[in-house]
Amino acid sequence: MSGARIIDGKAVAAQVRADLKGKVEALKAAHGFTPGLAVVLVGEDPASQVYVRNKGQQTKEVGMNSIEHKLPAETSEADLLALVDALNKDPAINGILVQLPLPKHVNAEKVLNSIDPDKDVDGFHPVNVGRLWVGERALVPCTPTGSLILAKSVQESLSGMDAVIIGRSNIVGKPMAALLLRENCTVTVAHSRTRDIQSVVKLADLVVAAVGIAEFVKGDWIKPGAIVIDVGINRVEVPGGKAKLKGDVAYEEAAAVASAITPVPGGVGPMTIACLLKNTLQAAQMQRGIEVTA
Ligand code: NAD
């Protein structure tokens, strides 16, 4: 039986979007312009097409302009760089997102690093990574931002908590560490070479799992009363049935000991696009020298 509070990521994401919608309206009324988000999709990857469609829809729902550039899989790196350059220079575009993965013949790092850091709403550019770590205002990657909002929806102040992040990727684990340090947590980043990982996790008041292995974290690794944020999205084949989405945490077991936990699906997932829209508004306000309310 689950004793934990289930953190409803869909509901929190809807609140974030509703709040943004009000702020976009206020911006339009006060300054007479509408923030614009450009999304660049190269090729026909079905999952990417779904993400891009959802991003476009939600961008419009909060009152911002969505501009989609759908390019064929054989688009050259030079052409892609030229498009990013044009978007960097276009004042109607406040945020640029290049959907990953890119085709193999394109150097993804080169393309991402060509985005103007002030329009880099994914927060992947080294300039934004640096700004985040030194404590300057930065565009911060969306998934860790969403994970932090969910943790704070349970407990407003995380100050002094022992936090363990499992995973050290550039898009989740590392920025999560920076964000939790900023919240005054004592942060440990565990990864594939960590020794006795379950003892490390057992010390955590807050666990953020971003491993990419279904049900990697077991219930008996969790300290009673801990908050568990499960970032993992793993497609698991069910014999004779449709594939199911599983998190990186063994949900039922962990929910029996945690004080609060995010489900998969319906936890961190819905927060990611909401935070992308938040970043777009923030980018627009920063570019125009307007007070940041996002
Ligand atoms: P990644 O593969 O880039 O990184 C995984 C990390 O896990 C690595 O740093 C690695 O050191 C660590 N790891 C791997 N095996 C391990 C082991 N046995 N023990 C301890 N650590 C181990 O993955 P990522 O991009 O950070 O994504 C992690 C998970 O989060 C995936 O399931 C991904 O689908 C999901 N994800 C979800 C969202 C979302 O919107 N909710 C966004 C991004 C990623």
Side-chain angles (χ1 to χ4, degrees):
M1 253 315 272
S2 156
R5 168 173 161 192
I6 297 162
I7 306 169
D8 185 346
K10 265 187 169 169
V12 178
Q15 278 167 19
V16 170
R17 290 196 306 271
D19 176 61
L20 281 174
K21 193 172 178 185
K23 288 174 176 166
V24 170
E25 272 164 22
L27 179 86
K28 284 182 194 173
H31 301 280
F33 86 101
T34 304
L37 171 63
V39 178
V40 180
L41 173 63
V42 185
E44 312 262 305
D45 179 64
S48 295
Q49 285 177 329
V50 175
Y51 295 143
V52 167
R53 192 164 56 238
N54 289 342
K55 283 169 187 169
Q57 229 165 32
Q58 294 188 26
T59 305
K60 287 180 219 148
E61 274 166 25
V62 300
M64 300 196 286
N65 291 330
S66 164
I67 301 93
E68 286 175 19
H69 291 268
K70 293 187 179 160
L71 308 175
E74 56 277 11
T75 303
S76 70
E77 185 179 291
D79 284 351
L80 196 50
L81 289 168
L83 172 60
V84 171
D85 184 50
L87 296 170
N88 282 341
K89 290 176 178 147
D90 184 345
I93 301 297
N94 303 107
I96 303 169
L97 182 146
V98 177
Q99 182 67 47
L100 298 176
L102 286 170
K104 288 200 171 51
H105 66 273
V106 174
N107 180 340
E109 194 179 341
K110 192 169 171 190
V111 173
L112 294 184
N113 289 354
S114 75
I115 298 173
D116 177 345
D118 292 342
K119 295 190 177 185
D120 166 41
V121 283
D122 256 338
F124 296 159
H125 195 288
V127 167
N128 278 314
V129 176
R131 286 176 179 160
L132 171 64
W133 280 99
V134 299
E136 280 179 25
R137 175 165 276 150
L139 291 165
V140 180
C142 304
T143 300
T145 300
S147 301
L148 179 65
I149 294 173
L150 292 182
K152 293 184 77 164
S153 76
V154 178
Q155 192 171 313
E156 178 53 33
S157 170
L158 307 177
S159 182
M161 287 177 96
D162 288 324
V164 172
I165 300 158
I166 315 170
R168 56 175 162 181
S169 71
N170 287 330
I171 65 169
V172 189
K174 285 183 198 161
M176 192 76 232
L179 285 174
L180 291 175
L181 266 181
R182 206 166 75 179
E183 294 293 324
N184 301 315
C185 291
T186 302
V187 178
T188 302
V189 182
H191 48 78
S192 53
R193 305 291 176 88
T194 299
R195 268 182 272 146
D196 192 10
I197 196 162
Q198 64 189 85
S199 303
V200 174
V201 175
K202 192 84 186 186
L203 299 172
D205 305 310
L206 170 63
V207 179
V208 180
V211 195
I213 302 174
E215 303 188 318
F216 176 76
V217 178
K218 309 300 176 208
D220 61 3
W221 299 16
I222 305 292
K223 177 174 167 178
I227 298 172
V228 178
I229 306 293
D230 188 350
V231 181
I233 301 179
N234 307 289
R235 205 167 285 279
V236 174
E237 296 301 327
V238 180
K242 279 172 66 182
K244 272 185 88 171
L245 290 185
K246 294 264 184 196
D248 288 344
V249 178
Y251 179 79
E252 293 295 337
E253 292 174 23
V257 270
S259 64
I261 186 166
T262 59
V264 176
V268 174
M271 294 299 291
T272 298
I273 298 182
C275 291
L276 170 71
L277 305 177
K278 194 167 143 59
N279 276 354
T280 305
L281 177 60
Q282 181 187 327
Q285 291 173 323
M286 281 164 35
Q287 286 156 34
R288 299 263 179 155
I290 299 168
E291 186 200 355
V292 172
T293 58

